[in-house]
Amino acid sequence: MPSPFLGIDLASRALRAFQRQLDVTGQNIANVNTPGYSRQVAEVAQLEGTTMLGIAGRYSLGNGVTIGSVNRIRDQFLEMRRMGEASGMGRFSTLADGLSGVQAIYTEPGDSGISNALDKFFNAWSSFASNPAAPGARDMVQVAGASLTQRVRSVYAGLTQTEVQFTSEIGMTLRTVDDLTSKISQLNSDIRQRTASGDLPNDLMDMRDQAIQQLAGIIDIKTYNGTDGTISVYMNQLTLVDSTGSNPIPKTFDAATGTLTDGTLTYDVRSGKLKGLFDTLNNIASQKGQLDTLANSMRTSINGIHATGMNPNGTTGINFFNDGLPQTGAIDFDLDAAVKADANNISSGVSGEAGDGGLALSLSRLRDDTTVVGLAGRSITQYYADLVSGVGQDIAFYEGQRDTQAAVIEQIDLQRQSISGVSLDDEMANMMRFQRSYQAAAKALTVFDQVTEDLINMLRR
């Protein structure tokens, strides 16, 4: 038989259930602007009834309601899509930003760039060829050559410095990965303990999901849900987080192959910010290699002609640019020591006559000569123009990819927000509904209390 106070018990349970629903609604409203917060819903469940024996036979009488669980509203499919797109976004954004910084080193177009220096260099040879006996003509060639070599070295040094900065950033990024995986592992442990005790730690799960999304922007990862509430995280063949804890990511990398190694095994990095840093380093290395080719080709072509000339000092076989075997590229590209010390060591012709400008004319024509060795059928000026325009094309491509990824992520975030986000209108409507339900339960409790009091008073008579 049920207690005479069953009605009071039913109403009090309802009050507690509606109070918890109001509490959860208040929690949602309080976190409407909290990044990573997932909307929560208090699910009510009917309590098992009590079987009773009546005149017509057995029947079941309900025992009211209780809160079955407080659940996060999440779409796992959208979360997985968001992780994949975040990795692509991390890569393309890093590449676009990194190459934009590299492009600034060239200062093109502008008066302080290599292109301007090349024009002045060949113009100086052309003027020298027109009037080799003019005072100061050799000095102009010497100054133009010195300016050109200085700018080539400056750009090369800027690229080298940027390369060092990106290498350092890779180290910091790898440490950030370790910080995030340690955080995920600790949250896994806390979630497992609270889940084992029957709790549903939604707040910790939100924090863990946010850390996983941050990690996905750095490297390409996959996640798997464990039966104990934990999440395992993998980067291709590498286990970063599992039920036993976190593993540090290898710190030895090879940007050219896009891999990390722990000394025994090699792991691919296929996307994310880390891949973008690798790709940026590779792009810088390619540009440095092209500058080396440009410097060495100018050494070979210009020295090959200049060394055949006779200068006012009566000497021949003098190079215009410093050279040697093997050629050293752009890092120390400079005038030959003799030319640097004395402009009279610059030759205008092969005869040594004051009016002979044939050699200077040949050198001025190298501006448009497509037979220069090592430049793949391009002139010196065209080769450099292609180098600079190639950087711009790469930036435009990666910015386009970044913008596309941003649009996709925005669309996914809108879908996530429609499911997991807090709508103040919906929450206020829920609050009114739970408030009315609470008031009705309170009224029922008052009635049951009055009926019980009347019954007790009747029995006292």
Side-chain angles (χ1 to χ4, degrees):
M1 289 291 291
S3 166
F5 300 100
L6 176 60
I8 295 176
D9 196 30
L10 286 171
S12 64
R13 284 198 182 107
L15 283 173
R16 288 193 293 271
F18 296 137
Q19 179 62 58
R20 295 291 80 77
Q21 288 183 312
L22 282 169
D23 291 341
V24 171
T25 302
Q27 166 78 354
N28 288 338
I29 293 173
N31 287 280
V32 63
N33 294 317
T34 302
Y37 178 79
S38 300
R39 179 169 60 91
Q40 299 181 16
V41 175
E43 303 289 352
V44 294
Q46 177 179 279
L47 290 171
E48 185 178 355
T50 301
T51 301
M52 302 180 61
L53 182 62
I55 297 175
R58 292 178 179 273
Y59 65 93
S60 180
L61 187 62
N63 284 313
V65 69
T66 188
I67 296 295
S69 62
V70 179
N71 298 324
R72 295 189 309 154
I73 306 302
R74 304 283 282 187
D75 187 319
Q76 291 301 318
F77 174 72
L78 286 177
E79 297 303 314
M80 296 297 292
R81 278 195 62 198
R82 179 64 165 75
M83 281 197 306
E85 300 301 336
S87 292
M89 179 67 175
R91 180 191 175 207
F92 295 129
S93 179
T94 300
L95 268 165
D97 293 343
L99 292 180
S100 293
V102 169
Q103 186 182 43
I105 297 173
Y106 288 95
T107 63
E108 299 285 1
D111 293 339
S112 59
I114 293 175
S115 180
N116 179 265
L118 281 170
D119 284 340
K120 289 183 177 180
F121 177 70
F122 287 115
N123 288 342
W125 279 111
S126 180
S127 297
F128 190 29
S130 299
N131 193 358
R138 281 185 170 80
D139 291 335
M140 288 180 59
V141 172
Q142 183 191 45
V143 170
S147 176
L148 173 61
T149 58
Q150 187 275 328
R151 292 186 188 182
V152 171
R153 292 196 309 272
S154 177
V155 170
Y156 191 89
L159 291 176
T160 301
Q161 183 179 5
T162 304
E163 198 173 37
V164 172
Q165 292 171 352
F166 275 100
T167 301
S168 176
E169 188 171 354
I170 288 174
M172 291 187 292
T173 301
L174 292 172
R175 289 191 292 273
T176 299
V177 170
D178 283 345
D179 291 341
L180 288 172
T181 54
S182 295
K183 181 178 181 179
I184 294 168
S185 177
Q186 182 59 54
L187 288 168
N188 267 344
S189 178
D190 295 341
I191 291 169
R192 180 171 52 233
Q193 291 177 12
R194 290 179 59 175
T195 301
S197 64
D199 192 5
L200 196 59
N202 293 324
D203 52 345
L204 297 181
M205 291 180 179
D206 281 344
M207 292 172 63
R208 183 177 64 186
D209 287 348
Q210 202 168 7
I212 289 174
Q213 289 292 345
Q214 292 175 11
L215 185 62
I218 299 175
I219 53 178
D220 51 314
I221 58 173
K222 299 293 183 183
T223 61
Y224 297 92
N225 296 325
T227 57
D228 57 354
T230 61
I231 289 182
S232 298
V233 182
Y234 302 91
M235 186 194 75
N236 303 316
Q237 314 94 328
L238 176 63
T239 301
L240 293 172
V241 181
D242 57 20
S243 59
T244 62
S246 63
N247 300 310
I249 193 168
K251 303 302 186 295
T252 302
F253 65 89
D254 183 352
T257 58
T259 57
L260 300 170
T261 180
D262 57 10
T264 303
L265 298 175
T266 299
Y267 307 97
D268 296 329
V269 179
R270 299 170 185 167
S271 192
K273 177 182 177 180
L274 187 59
K275 176 62 173 174
L277 291 172
F278 287 169
D279 291 344
T280 304
L281 276 182
N282 293 334
N283 195 293
I284 293 174
S286 174
Q287 292 178 51
K288 289 175 66 178
Q290 292 179 74
L291 278 178
D292 284 337
T293 298
L294 177 67
N296 290 336
S297 293
M298 284 195 289
R299 281 186 173 111
T300 300
S301 58
I302 292 174
N303 287 349
I305 295 174
H306 188 269
T308 64
M310 176 75 72
N311 60 43
N313 292 329
T315 57
T316 188
I318 294 179
N319 289 330
F320 186 82
F321 295 122
N322 62 344
D323 203 0
L325 293 176
Q327 290 182 314
T328 52
I331 190 170
D332 62 349
F333 186 47
D334 203 350
L335 297 179
D336 184 80
V339 171
K340 196 171 186 179
D342 184 2
N344 283 326
N345 282 320
I346 298 174
S347 300
S348 63
V350 295
S351 66
E353 298 293 333
D356 184 1
L359 183 145
L361 181 62
S362 297
L363 288 172
S364 69
R365 288 174 176 172
L366 285 177
R367 180 203 306 260
D368 302 313
D369 189 351
T370 58
T371 63
V372 175
V373 175
L375 301 186
R378 290 169 289 181
S379 66
I380 292 172
T381 53
Q382 186 59 51
Y383 183 85
Y384 177 72
D386 289 348
L387 167 58
V388 175
S389 64
V391 178
Q393 291 170 6
D394 287 342
I395 293 172
F397 173 78
Y398 291 121
E399 284 180 343
Q401 294 293 100
R402 178 194 61 193
D403 293 344
T404 299
Q405 289 294 121
V408 172
I409 289 176
E410 182 180 6
Q411 183 181 34
I412 294 173
D413 284 343
L414 288 174
Q415 292 177 301
R416 292 170 72 213
Q417 186 68 17
S418 68
I419 296 172
S420 302
V422 176
S423 167
L424 289 178
D425 292 338
D426 291 345
E427 297 304 325
M428 292 303 296
N430 287 336
M431 182 171 286
M432 292 295 295
R433 179 162 59 92
F434 299 145
Q435 181 186 14
R436 296 302 184 192
S437 299
Y438 186 92
Q439 291 171 344
K443 182 64 175 177
L445 179 61
T446 301
V447 171
F448 285 132
D449 179 62
Q450 185 63 52
V451 170
T452 303
E453 183 178 351
D454 291 344
L455 176 60
I456 293 174
N457 289 335
M458 290 173 59
L459 293 175
R460 287 176 179 172
R461 294 173 185 173

